[in-house]
Amino acid sequence: MNNTPASRRCLLQTGLLATLAALAPLALCGAAQAADWPTRPITLVVPFAAGGTTDILARVIGQKLSENLGQPVVVDNRAGAGGTLGAAAVARAPADGQTLFMATVAHAMAPGLYKNLSYDFIKDFEPIGLVATTPNVLLVHPSLPVKSVPELLAYIKAHPGEVNYGSAGPGSTEHLSGALFSARIGATMTHVPYKGGAPMMGDLMAGQIQMAIETSPSASQPVRSGKVRALAVTSLQRSALYPGVPTLDEAGVKGYEVNTWFALMAPRATPQAITKRLREALHRVLGLAEVTRRFDELGVTAGDLEGERLANFIRSETTKWGVVAKESGARID
């Protein structure tokens, strides 16, 4: 057998050509898939109840994605287990671009809270783009005799375990935000989980619970109507939506920072040509003047991360919230 350098180069070149020839049909197939896609309505899974912030944002971008992609985008609310039931359903869905998922910071929190998840948030999803970010707002019912964070801290410490704080469910953003708050102030509160942010806010406005740390869009109208009182925002900068409301850090809970984010995801192994079209469509949607106006009304900021940059952000968030879960002692079996 001839084993000269020239013959080895020839063999390598032949092998490379054979590999490229084998991959060419796959590339053409992926391009054809993207050209034909979408061929039917797209399902956008919202893993929380209708009426909450995630649902509102999904419907805003879903309508515009539909116009961009030429097929209806149907919002499918699959609430439960802090958003993990909907995530699990999408992780098992065919990777054909027909099923998408609105992930939130709650899904980065879940690995540190749940002992056994049926999916891997890092490995089982393809990040499309960051839709929006928003601070949370510390809310109390007006019947609670407090008008500032220091007064609330004094009240909680004087009534250990008697102040009930609501959440959209175990493992939700509101749950871990409240658990972190309780840990930082060194006082005990009682967690009351609901099946979504909307029913939780209904009970807060009715006085059935006394407190919640809710996302800004869901809180804005109840605050304006006087049905709940905003004491602080959870970002390190004040929110234009709540003029005069301090940050928790300013109000004495030093270092407290929670920002809720929302990201469009697809099942892992969705063809790159399809995820590229999705990223381009989402980018166009987030640049629309009417979407910008709606986001301003809701108190959210359009996202500017996509692809690998978003994947890196999600990895860092998952690590961060794993530490917070351990610090707060929050755990869901």
Side-chain angles (χ1 to χ4, degrees):
M1 178 179 178
N2 187 351
N3 196 31
T4 65
S7 65
R8 287 197 296 272
R9 283 197 301 272
C10 182
L11 286 170
L12 288 171
Q13 290 168 354
T14 302
L16 178 60
L17 289 172
T19 301
L20 292 173
L23 290 175
L26 295 177
L28 290 172
C29 180
Q33 276 184 299
D36 294 339
W37 178 88
T39 58
R40 61 185 188 278
I42 297 168
T43 298
L44 175 53
V45 172
V46 171
F48 300 104
T53 300
T54 312
D55 180 71
I56 293 169
L57 292 175
R59 294 178 189 278
V60 171
I61 68 161
Q63 178 186 349
K64 296 304 176 183
L65 283 174
S66 174
E67 294 171 8
N68 269 264
L69 297 172
Q71 285 285 350
V73 175
V74 180
V75 172
D76 181 6
N77 295 93
R78 298 196 187 187
T84 62
L85 292 184
V90 177
R92 296 190 299 267
D96 57 5
Q98 296 295 150
T99 304
L100 306 176
F101 166 49
M102 185 72 105
T104 78
V105 65
H107 295 95
M109 295 173 172
L113 291 169
Y114 290 86
K115 183 180 291 185
N116 296 303
L117 286 175
S118 63
Y119 63 90
D120 187 312
F121 185 52
I122 303 298
K123 296 179 179 178
D124 290 343
F125 299 98
E126 182 69 32
I128 302 302
L130 189 66
V131 173
T133 61
T134 185
N136 291 348
V137 188
L138 173 58
L139 307 169
V140 295
H141 188 265
S143 65
L144 203 65
V146 300
K147 293 188 177 180
S148 69
V149 171
E151 289 180 0
L152 174 63
L153 301 187
Y155 186 90
I156 293 172
K157 291 176 180 179
H159 302 83
E162 293 181 23
V163 175
N164 297 323
Y165 76 93
S167 80
S172 64
T173 307
E174 299 92 341
H175 175 201
L176 203 55
S177 297
L180 178 61
F181 179 77
S182 181
R184 289 287 173 87
I185 67 174
T188 303
M189 301 185 296
T190 299
H191 174 221
V192 182
Y194 289 81
K195 291 183 178 180
M200 182 273 290
M201 283 299 297
D203 266 11
L204 178 62
M205 289 186 285
Q208 298 300 312
I209 54 175
Q210 291 81 47
M211 179 187 137
I213 300 179
E214 177 59 313
T215 54
S216 182
S218 295
S220 59
Q221 182 56 42
V223 169
R224 284 196 295 267
S225 67
K227 293 180 180 178
V228 298
R229 182 179 295 142
L231 299 186
V233 295
T234 63
S235 54
L236 292 179
Q237 296 80 35
R238 294 195 180 197
S239 169
L241 200 61
Y242 301 95
V245 176
T247 70
L248 267 173
D249 181 79
E250 289 177 317
V253 187
K254 292 299 179 182
Y256 188 102
E257 182 186 15
V258 175
N259 289 297
T260 295
W261 50 263
F262 309 84
L264 188 65
M265 315 276 275
R268 183 65 75 185
T270 298
Q272 289 186 7
I274 291 178
T275 59
K276 182 176 183 290
R277 281 198 63 194
L278 276 167
R279 288 184 184 114
E280 291 170 348
L282 179 61
H283 183 77
R284 288 193 295 269
V285 165
L286 294 178
L288 293 172
E290 57 194 293
V291 171
T292 300
R293 284 194 298 271
R294 182 63 175 134
F295 277 20
D296 287 344
E297 292 169 359
L298 293 169
V300 304
T301 302
D304 61 355
L305 298 177
E306 60 182 32
E308 191 57 31
R309 290 176 62 216
L310 177 54
N312 290 335
F313 170 74
I314 287 172
R315 281 191 286 268
S316 68
E317 282 284 284
T318 304
T319 300
K320 165 189 164 182
W321 285 109
V323 174
V324 171
K326 186 174 182 180
E327 175 188 339
S328 68
R331 190 73 181 171
I332 302 168
D333 295 324

